[in-house]
Amino acid sequence: MEPVLAVTIGILFAAAIYMMLRRSIVKLVIGLMLLSNAANLLIFVTAGLTRDAPPLVPQGMSVPAGAVADPLPQALVLTAIVISFGVLSFAVVLVHRAWEVVRTDDLDHLKETDT
Amino acid sequence: MQQAVLAGFVMAGLAPLLHRWLGVRTAPMMALLPASLVLWLLWQWPLIAAGETLLLAWPWVPALEVSLTFFLDGLAWLFALLICAIGALVLVYSGDYLRDDPDQPRFLVLLVAFMMAMLGLVLADNLVTLFIFWELTSLTSYLLIGFHHEDPAARRAALQSLMVTAGGGLALLAGLVMLAQAGGSWSLTELAGRGEAVQAHALHGPLLVCVLLGAFTKSAQFPFHFWLPNAMVAPTPVSAYLHSATMVKAGIYLLARLHPVLGSSDAWVVTLSLVGALTMALGACLAIRQTHLKIMLAYSTVMALGAMTLLLGIGSRAALAAFVVFLVAHALYKGAMFLVAGILDQATGTRDLTGMGGLRHRMPWTALVAGLAALSLAGLPPLLGYIGKEALFSAVLEADHLRGAILALAFLAALLTLAVAALMVLRPFFGAVRETPRPPREGSPAMLAGPALLAGLSLWLGLAPHGLEGLVTATVQGLGVREAAVHLTLWHGLTLPLGLSLASLLLGALVVRHWEGLRTWSARLEPFMTLGPEGGYWAVMRGWLRLAEAQTRWLQNGHLRSYLVMTLLVLLGLVGHALFVRNGALAAPGPSARMHEAVVAALMVAGAMTACLMRSRLAAVAALGAMGFSIALTFVLFSAPDLAITQLLVETMTVVLLALVLFRLPRFAILSTPLQRLRDLVVASLVGGLISLLMLSVLGGEQLPRISEYMIANGQPLGHGHNLVNVILVDFRALDTLGEVIVLGLAATGVFAMLGLRPEGPASRRDARAEEDDHG
């Protein structure tokens, strides 16, 4: 399964980068979303995939029964998902605000400090 | 001695304070330090004369083999004496010269700091210490040359001297490091005995080039001679000091100091002889074209520096003895000449030779001093300059390499120097009286004392040269020649050098007679002067600026896209290269994909593609949502329920947020050309492919022991939780989570502030609430 997901993630990255290279600032934001999703998935998959063994300790035991999925990358990705949402919402509001002030969504028109 | 140098730096720092208390008496008071050093040096003389070396050890950074050890042999003693003695005279002189200058304290700070740096340079035993003092002289002389910083010409000249000498300094640093590698020691005293080992070493060639570059730039050797005349914008006492005893002599000192180590190779002999002879002739030729007193003197310094380099290159016992005599003679007459030039400048308000005349009636003492110094410069008996010149000729006649060429160049230089010296006395002091911008008056005693003493010494040592023999012998011993008993005399009998001197006297007189014609003729060569090394310097500086401008315009063009593309291409190159070099195994197929898993992956791809291609904003957001939910499904399938829940929540809120905000933004427009899109597609596909390869390579690589083993084993016993991911988040990596909360708080504050600027926006409350909800 890992090779399949590796290729999938490569495609997600390609799509994200393509969108980030657009001139439209809204597309840049969509690219940012794709990128954060792709990166989260990358961390998750690179740590190795395990089926049907969530990292839980059954009631009344002190260690999981048998091998479980690695909990550490999951914790890291969880943090990353939440943070990327924070960044994204900030970016979206910033873009919205910039549009209100400058009335352009073309990044090429935003490259000077004076508008 | 180290204490004296360090105290000197401290005193330099205190100069402004002293000036507040002592006023114009500060400079003479400060001259007491170099004067007392002169006494100390004279007290050490018996030791030096006996050929002993005084070693003053002072460890500094022993772990790096850097020490502040000073050592005093004949060579260091001679240079230190010149630095301190002329330094004291220049300090007394400048107290008067800059009497009315409000910046005098600054001047004193710089001059004394420069003096101490120079002293440290000639006394240092450690190569690193030597280099530090070397750079300090470059820096302080930069500030001294640019002393009148309101003047753009001064700033330009100062920067030029810094560029040339500090650029050479970099080469020198590389050269010294290689020298230490080749010789196996950072200590000059130890290196002196390892000449053969160094010359046999593989690094000998490069280190020789680097060291010579450093010395030649500092000592204004061809083709780096141009900064020296430009540095004449400095106040005259600075010029006198820099030219007679210090700065430019630093390169000569370095060559002399390294002579025992590097001096016996053919490359050294030929390079130094040729460059020295060329510089000598060129300096004299350029001097005769000028009418500006200080610039003429500057070029004659270039000529003298060339002569010293030439003598060090020849390297025979006679040549080294001639080097020492020439060095002393030059320091004496050049110091005197510059100080006289300063008196003339102040007395008349002009520095142009053609604007002065008949001053001997008004300034008889100045005329006398100038006459003596010029006789020595011209190399006429009975002054020390004559002995130096005779010694030079006899050394050149014994040279092993290129004898004919260097003799011709040296002869040309000698006759032109004679003419220059004659002009500098005849023009201002003799002939018809000319009107000058200021009515001339005799210089003050404080200002005349220095040049008079120096010129008097030139005469005395010329008449009684055996007084100098001990010093020359001791110094030549410091240069590595042991059996050196040197005899100096005014009269050698009817020899070839005497004939050459006579011939140069006659031809020189001819040049003086036809000076005006010569100058008009050489003025026609003016257009070609820009082709010289100085033109090269400016071309390099211009090119440098243009390069900076071009690369700034290219790399920092304000387009986000090009920054991204640049970063991505670098990433592609570096990571791709690493992958290629490593050439490791790719991932083993592992557990094969099941049908439903493959469908989920296909959904992700489809969602991402659709989001990219859709013209409608709503469709794009929906596609993104589909992709996000597929990712959540992947998390479910591969044992990550917590991630799946978080992803679902976040994805839902993202879609809501986007749906709300995106519709307040303009519709998607196609802003790029097909070619641009193709380019972006290529870059994006390459990076995507690289990421896939990277992942496969990581998955195929060796598995390191997992950090989480500890967390799995201890999650319940220590963290008292049954969900290991939660235990990690709130317990093992709690600080991480705290950081995350802070980031979210900041983002929420930012969002709230931006929306608060326009409070009526309906999206604002929702955004803020979405933020707050997310902390859970």
Side-chain angles (χ1 to χ4, degrees), chain B residues 309-365:
Chain B
T309 308
L310 168 64
L311 288 170
L312 281 172
I314 297 172
S316 61
R317 194 173 65 90
L320 293 179
F323 162 73
V324 180
V325 177
F326 205 92
L327 178 79
V328 175
H330 176 253
L332 295 178
Y333 70 67
K334 193 51 65 71
M337 285 303 277
F338 264 114
L339 296 177
V340 165
I343 295 175
L344 276 179
D345 176 22
Q346 277 210 330
T348 64
T350 178
R351 293 172 182 173
D352 199 316
L353 280 187
T354 51
M356 299 182 229
L359 290 173
R360 71 177 191 280
H361 307 293
R362 295 291 193 81
M363 313 168 72
W365 290 106

Side-chain angles (χ1 to χ4, degrees), chain B residues 309-671:
Chain B
T309 308
L310 168 64
L311 288 170
L312 281 172
I314 297 172
S316 61
R317 194 173 65 90
L320 293 179
F323 162 73
V324 180
V325 177
F326 205 92
L327 178 79
V328 175
H330 176 253
L332 295 178
Y333 70 67
K334 193 51 65 71
M337 285 303 277
F338 264 114
L339 296 177
V340 165
I343 295 175
L344 276 179
D345 176 22
Q346 277 210 330
T348 64
T350 178
R351 293 172 182 173
D352 199 316
L353 280 187
T354 51
M356 299 182 229
L359 290 173
R360 71 177 191 280
H361 307 293
R362 295 291 193 81
M363 313 168 72
W365 290 106
T366 314
L368 180 66
V369 171
L372 275 177
L375 276 178
S376 188
L377 168 63
L380 291 177
L383 285 109
L384 189 58
Y386 170 72
I387 301 178
K389 193 177 71 169
E390 293 282 283
L392 171 76
F393 276 140
S394 15
V396 168
L397 285 170
E398 290 169 16
D400 295 329
H401 294 269
L402 310 161
R403 190 183 301 154
I406 51 180
L407 183 63
L409 289 169
F411 180 72
L412 177 69
L415 82 89
L416 287 176
T417 306
L418 193 138
V420 168
L423 285 167
M424 277 192 290
V425 174
L426 295 178
R427 281 283 164 164
F429 294 108
F430 293 86
V433 177
R434 283 170 198 259
E435 281 301 305
T436 48
R438 255 180 255 159
R441 55 180 168 76
E442 185 61 283
S444 70
M447 289 176 78
L448 267 173
L453 188 62
L454 294 174
L457 268 175
S458 288
L459 179 63
W460 181 59
L461 287 174
L463 288 172
H466 50 270
L468 206 57
E469 279 168 6
L471 176 58
V472 175
T473 310
T475 313
V476 170
Q477 278 175 354
L479 288 170
V481 180
R482 280 292 148 204
E483 67 318 329
V486 179
H487 294 290
L488 302 171
T489 163
L490 272 176
W491 178 250
H492 288 275
L494 290 171
T495 53
L496 195 50
L498 183 68
L500 287 170
S501 286
L502 281 176
S504 67
L505 181 63
L506 291 176
L507 287 169
L510 212 62
V511 170
V512 173
R513 209 180 156 77
H514 297 286
W515 186 47
E516 302 287 349
L518 200 66
R519 270 197 307 129
T520 33
W521 177 77
S522 80
R524 270 183 253 150
L525 295 176
E526 199 61 43
F528 297 102
M529 299 306 277
T530 53
L531 299 177
E534 184 166 18
Y537 168 81
W538 289 116
V540 167
M541 294 307 280
R542 270 196 308 275
W544 202 249
L545 282 179
R546 228 172 274 158
L547 181 71
E549 215 176 287
Q551 71 98 14
T552 307
R553 210 176 300 134
W554 185 58
L555 288 175
Q556 312 206 344
N557 49 18
H559 289 282
L560 183 64
R561 281 192 309 284
S562 35
Y563 298 162
L564 268 177
V565 169
M566 209 78 77
T567 315
L568 290 172
L569 288 181
V570 170
L571 179 89
L572 207 59
L574 292 180
V575 179
H577 175 75
L579 271 181
F580 182 77
V581 169
R582 190 168 156 273
N583 198 16
L586 294 184
S592 62
R594 292 178 191 156
M595 192 56 182
H596 59 280
E597 292 167 355
V599 170
V600 171
L603 264 176
M604 271 189 259
V605 172
M609 296 292 221
T610 319
C612 292
L613 297 175
M614 276 299 140
R615 298 285 302 277
S616 145
R617 289 165 295 175
L618 189 62
V621 171
L624 277 178
M627 186 198 71
F629 290 128
S630 317
I631 292 176
L633 265 180
T634 317
F635 290 148
V636 170
L637 289 174
F638 294 102
S639 322
D642 303 274
L643 288 189
I645 298 167
T646 318
Q647 176 80 15
L648 275 175
L649 280 173
V650 163
E651 207 54 48
T652 315
M653 283 190 293
T654 309
V655 170
V656 172
L657 179 71
L658 282 180
L660 281 172
V661 176
L662 277 189
F663 289 99
R664 304 170 156 272
L665 294 173
R667 293 174 180 282
F668 290 164
I670 291 181
L671 296 167

Side-chain angles (χ1 to χ4, degrees), chain B residues 140-153:
Chain B
T140 41
S141 67
Y142 161 71
L143 294 169
L144 280 170
I145 294 168
F147 181 69
H148 297 300
H149 54 80
E150 327 75 39
D151 179 8

